[in-house]
Amino acid sequence: MVLPEGTEKSFLQELYEAIFQAEDLQPENNPGPTTDPPMGSEEASFTSSNPPPDGEAENRVLDDLTHKSSPKGGPAQTHPKVKVVGGSTLEAKPPVGSVCQALPDGPRKLLELLQEIALGILPPGNRDLRRKVGTVVFLLPLEMVALHLGVSRQTVWAWKKELEATGLIATDTLYARTRDGQQRALGTLWSVRLRPGKAHLTRDDYLYSWRNMDLDIANGILSYKWVQAHKERGIRPTLDTLVLWAQGKRVIPNTKSVAVDLGLIHVLPEVEEAKRPMLITLLATYLSQVFDDHLSRRFYAGLMWSVARGELPAQFVFSLIVRTLRDYKDGLITRPGAYIVRILKQAMEEPAA
């Protein structure tokens, strides 16, 4: 596709930079109390630690998130529980690389995810701590890990058993008796090694106040919300979601997003100037949601403005967005914004016929 002559490449460079600019997300209203989750969730009542039957098939279409921190009166978890081991602060030791590479693909994939979560909950900017920390302990429901990886709980269960055999992680399921007298699983307690060594759980880990289950039930902040959202809408938790849960900040899926007709892209050049900002904001917000690219809403807005100003052909951008959305749903691409930038750059560099 050859773009109109005279199109400045500078605007594409601005779009490319915008994709990496973080934009704060405004928290949405959270739903009210909900009923207790049925069996199948790690938070449901359990008498055994065996995983439930296989879950639903994978669907990569993700939706917006509703960020919800634990209400006042909840667990006193203000920072992740970490164990710091001795070591030089002059040079960083590499993560468990050679040991991880010797693992089969599935367990290695799980270990890499757990290590990313562990690093994500460490205080930012503290380089000495990140160099010295050996083990990070956090609470995270097993089904949320399975949903993120696109596999069943049984598969994650088998993978974690292999990792436990190597000593790279140690896990246990925590239980608590709620006010209604039922014993409920709070989630899986993960002890994850970031350096060579053996992971283990200590007495302090079991005494730590990880979660106020009664309060989370009353506020409907349960991992079963993600199980429902995946079954009904194909929504899966992102890495950021898992990090927030590991920090004690509850995030539940937003299933109230309204679909937007992408055909509106065609009318952007002709729409009244006063109505353009509202229409562009609508399209940019929708694209950032369907691509699970919430921090790049400004990038998608810039792309729509380039169409409105005639710098990019509306039909070309519409076809590119539709094709990108289809490939993202099929799992062929993982970074839609970067993919769109690459295609636009190739189109600009294509010589005129």
Side-chain angles (χ1 to χ4, degrees), residues 4-17:
E5 295 184 3
T7 302
E8 297 291 339
K9 291 188 178 182
S10 60
F11 98 92
L12 180 59
Q13 296 171 351
E14 294 175 359
L15 291 181
Y16 187 80
E17 294 173 357

Side-chain angles (χ1 to χ4, degrees), residues 248-262:
K249 302 172 183 177
R250 308 295 174 231
V251 181
I252 56 178
N254 172 26
T255 57
K256 299 179 180 179
S257 297
V258 179
V260 175
D261 184 3
L262 293 176

Side-chain angles (χ1 to χ4, degrees), residues 183-208:
Q183 187 179 28
R184 293 183 175 274
L186 301 179
T188 297
L189 193 59
W190 305 83
S191 175
V192 181
R193 289 295 302 177
L194 297 177
R195 299 288 182 261
K198 186 174 180 60
H200 62 278
L201 294 169
T202 67
R203 180 173 178 269
D204 289 340
D205 296 329
Y206 288 95
L207 295 178
Y208 188 74

Side-chain angles (χ1 to χ4, degrees), residues 111-176:
L111 178 61
E112 290 172 350
L113 173 62
L114 295 173
Q115 288 179 332
E116 283 188 275
I117 296 172
L119 290 172
I121 65 179
L122 291 178
N126 192 332
R127 299 180 64 183
D128 285 343
L129 176 61
R130 297 178 75 89
R131 280 194 289 257
K132 294 191 296 183
V133 66
T135 303
V136 178
V137 181
F138 55 86
L139 183 78
L140 185 63
L142 185 69
E143 64 265 19
M144 293 190 66
V145 176
L147 287 174
H148 175 80
L149 293 174
V151 298
S152 69
R153 293 185 75 245
Q154 291 175 317
T155 299
V156 174
W157 186 273
W159 288 351
K160 81 179 185 70
K161 284 299 182 184
E162 293 192 41
L163 294 178
E164 286 175 317
T166 65
L168 292 172
I169 69 170
T171 69
D172 198 2
T173 303
L174 296 189
Y175 296 88

Side-chain angles (χ1 to χ4, degrees), residues 4-309:
E5 295 184 3
T7 302
E8 297 291 339
K9 291 188 178 182
S10 60
F11 98 92
L12 180 59
Q13 296 171 351
E14 294 175 359
L15 291 181
Y16 187 80
E17 294 173 357
I19 194 174
F20 299 105
Q21 294 179 358
E23 181 177 72
D24 294 335
L25 299 176
Q26 295 297 325
E28 301 177 7
N29 293 329
N30 296 295
T34 183
T35 57
D36 293 348
M39 296 296 291
S41 167
E42 190 166 8
E43 293 160 340
S45 300
F46 283 120
T47 57
S48 170
S49 58
N50 291 329
D54 197 353
E56 296 294 313
E58 176 182 352
N59 188 325
R60 289 180 172 83
V61 181
L62 304 177
D63 210 333
D64 196 12
L65 301 178
T66 299
H67 290 242
K68 184 169 184 178
S69 299
S70 297
K72 293 182 180 179
Q77 183 181 354
T78 57
H79 56 80
K81 182 177 179 63
V82 299
K83 301 173 185 176
V84 179
V85 298
S88 172
T89 60
L90 299 178
E91 60 178 355
K93 295 181 181 179
V96 189
S98 59
V99 178
C100 181
Q101 293 173 1
L103 295 169
D105 290 341
R108 182 173 68 248
K109 185 177 181 181
L110 175 60
L111 178 61
E112 290 172 350
L113 173 62
L114 295 173
Q115 288 179 332
E116 283 188 275
I117 296 172
L119 290 172
I121 65 179
L122 291 178
N126 192 332
R127 299 180 64 183
D128 285 343
L129 176 61
R130 297 178 75 89
R131 280 194 289 257
K132 294 191 296 183
V133 66
T135 303
V136 178
V137 181
F138 55 86
L139 183 78
L140 185 63
L142 185 69
E143 64 265 19
M144 293 190 66
V145 176
L147 287 174
H148 175 80
L149 293 174
V151 298
S152 69
R153 293 185 75 245
Q154 291 175 317
T155 299
V156 174
W157 186 273
W159 288 351
K160 81 179 185 70
K161 284 299 182 184
E162 293 192 41
L163 294 178
E164 286 175 317
T166 65
L168 292 172
I169 69 170
T171 69
D172 198 2
T173 303
L174 296 189
Y175 296 88
R177 191 167 298 279
T178 56
R179 293 174 184 173
D180 58 5
Q182 297 187 22
Q183 187 179 28
R184 293 183 175 274
L186 301 179
T188 297
L189 193 59
W190 305 83
S191 175
V192 181
R193 289 295 302 177
L194 297 177
R195 299 288 182 261
K198 186 174 180 60
H200 62 278
L201 294 169
T202 67
R203 180 173 178 269
D204 289 340
D205 296 329
Y206 288 95
L207 295 178
Y208 188 74
S209 179
W210 294 103
R211 187 175 185 183
N212 187 330
M213 196 63 183
D214 284 316
L215 196 60
D216 283 353
I217 291 175
N219 288 278
I221 313 174
L222 301 170
S223 62
Y224 183 70
K225 290 284 187 180
W226 286 99
V227 177
Q228 285 181 313
H230 182 258
K231 289 182 178 179
E232 298 170 2
R233 300 284 298 275
I235 301 173
R236 294 192 300 172
T238 64
L239 175 61
D240 290 338
T241 299
L242 300 184
V243 171
L244 288 170
W245 270 76
Q247 290 175 326
K249 302 172 183 177
R250 308 295 174 231
V251 181
I252 56 178
N254 172 26
T255 57
K256 299 179 180 179
S257 297
V258 179
V260 175
D261 184 3
L262 293 176
L264 294 173
I265 296 175
H266 290 112
V267 303
L268 283 176
E270 289 79 29
V271 74
E272 295 179 28
E273 192 168 337
K275 296 181 179 180
R276 281 183 180 177
M278 181 179 64
L279 183 57
I280 288 175
T281 298
L282 178 68
L283 285 166
T285 301
Y286 176 68
L287 290 174
S288 68
Q289 291 176 353
V290 297
F291 287 137
D292 188 43
D293 203 5
H294 314 292
L295 298 181
S296 297
R297 185 161 63 92
R298 189 177 301 170
F299 161 73
Y300 295 110
L303 183 62
M304 295 301 104
W305 273 112
S306 68
V307 174
R309 292 191 295 260

